């Protein structure tokens, strides 16, 4: 149990049998009446975001979330298999839990896996990853670095938008939060 005065961004609360992560919070002390805490909470499993207000000093139940560095090994049917970098234990995580992170996962990639009482909650990737373009239409004479974009398929099978001058085989940096092209990577 913790007080609402102890809330921080990233704290995971156990409310009504669901796990909620604090996205943002604000202590409010109006001139009249008691103080309260206005929060924006994100459901850890579904991603739903809600606004919730608590009285200042009210007790809320916190959940212990264990975040570990893990390495992605391979895909086993619908599950993704991760290995704990410290203990070498393997963990099978469903495709629904991995979510959009699957678009950027290469074998032996590092990720942070959050678990609660042994149940995987989500997979957190670095903010950007380097992927190789496996297919894109060839650029045409006159294509410039500014201007249009074209679709390109990267080695994970995910399709991103890249500038017209890029070719198949080029390594690019991709933002894992938005899927945006961030730039070329020279070896």
């Amino acid at each position: 149990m913790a007080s609402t005065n102890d809330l921080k961004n990233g704290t995971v609360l156990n409310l009504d049998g669901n796990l909620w992560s604090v996205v943002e919070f604000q202590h409010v002390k109006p001139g009249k009446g008691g103080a309260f805490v206005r929060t924006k909470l994100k459901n850890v499993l579904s991603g739903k975001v809600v606004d919730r207000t608590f009285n200042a000093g009210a007790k809320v139940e916190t959940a212990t979330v264990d975040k570990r560095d893990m390495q992605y090994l391979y895909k086993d049917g619908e599950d993704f298999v991760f290995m704990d970098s410290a203990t070498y234990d393997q963990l099978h995580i469903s495709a629904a839990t991995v979510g959009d992170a699957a678009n950027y996962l290469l074998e032996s990639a590092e990720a942070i896996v959050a678990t609660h009482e042994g149940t995987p909650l989500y997979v957190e990737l670095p903010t950007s990853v380097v992927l190789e373009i496996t297919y894109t239409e060839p650029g045409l004479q006159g294509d410039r670095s500014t201007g249009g974009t074209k679709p390109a398929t990267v080695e994970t099978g995910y399709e991103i938008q890249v500038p017209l001058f890029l070719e198949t085989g080029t390594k690019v940096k991709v933002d894992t939060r938005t899927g945006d092209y961030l730039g070329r990577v020279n070896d």
Side-chain angles (χ1 to χ4, degrees):
M1 295 295 273
S3 165
T4 54
N5 299 332
D6 303 328
L7 291 181
K8 293 195 253 332
N9 288 350
T11 303
V12 178
L13 305 176
N14 189 351
L15 301 171
D16 310 323
N18 288 319
L19 296 178
W20 299 87
S21 177
V22 177
V23 178
E24 59 184 62
F25 67 97
Q26 179 182 18
H27 290 277
V28 180
K29 176 99 174 77
K32 193 161 124 181
F36 58 91
V37 179
R38 188 178 293 136
T39 62
K40 187 175 281 189
L41 303 174
K42 180 179 180 184
N43 189 307
V44 172
L45 297 175
S46 70
K48 179 181 174 185
V49 178
V50 298
D51 292 324
R52 185 135 177 206
T53 304
F54 300 96
N55 289 330
K59 297 288 182 200
V60 288
E61 186 179 348
T62 57
T64 54
V65 173
D66 187 20
K67 289 186 178 182
R68 294 179 177 223
D69 288 329
M70 293 201 171
Q71 183 179 29
Y72 170 62
L73 297 179
Y74 58 92
K75 189 167 181 183
D76 181 21
E78 286 297 307
D79 291 351
F80 291 81
V81 180
F82 287 83
M83 178 183 68
D84 190 319
S85 303
T87 64
Y88 302 108
D89 291 338
Q90 291 187 5
L91 182 64
H92 289 256
I93 302 176
S94 70
T97 304
V98 174
D100 289 341
N103 297 329
Y104 312 104
L105 271 178
L106 289 174
E107 288 184 5
S108 77
E110 295 292 325
I112 295 172
V113 177
T115 58
H116 172 65
E117 296 175 358
T119 305
L121 299 176
Y122 58 88
V123 175
E124 197 175 292
L125 293 176
T127 53
S128 65
V129 292
V130 175
L131 299 170
E132 185 176 326
I133 295 175
T134 55
Y135 177 77
T136 187
E137 294 290 330
L140 301 171
Q141 182 63 31
D143 288 344
R144 299 288 177 254
S145 61
T146 58
T149 61
K150 62 182 178 180
T153 305
V154 292
E155 56 191 310
T156 60
Y158 187 59
E159 192 173 274
I160 62 171
Q161 292 293 319
V162 298
L164 295 168
F165 63 88
L166 289 181
E167 299 171 1
T168 300
T170 306
K171 290 193 180 218
V172 295
K173 190 180 249 189
V174 180
D175 189 324
T176 58
R177 297 164 298 190
T178 61
D180 292 342
Y181 162 83
L182 296 174
R184 273 191 295 196
V185 176
N186 298 324
D187 289 339

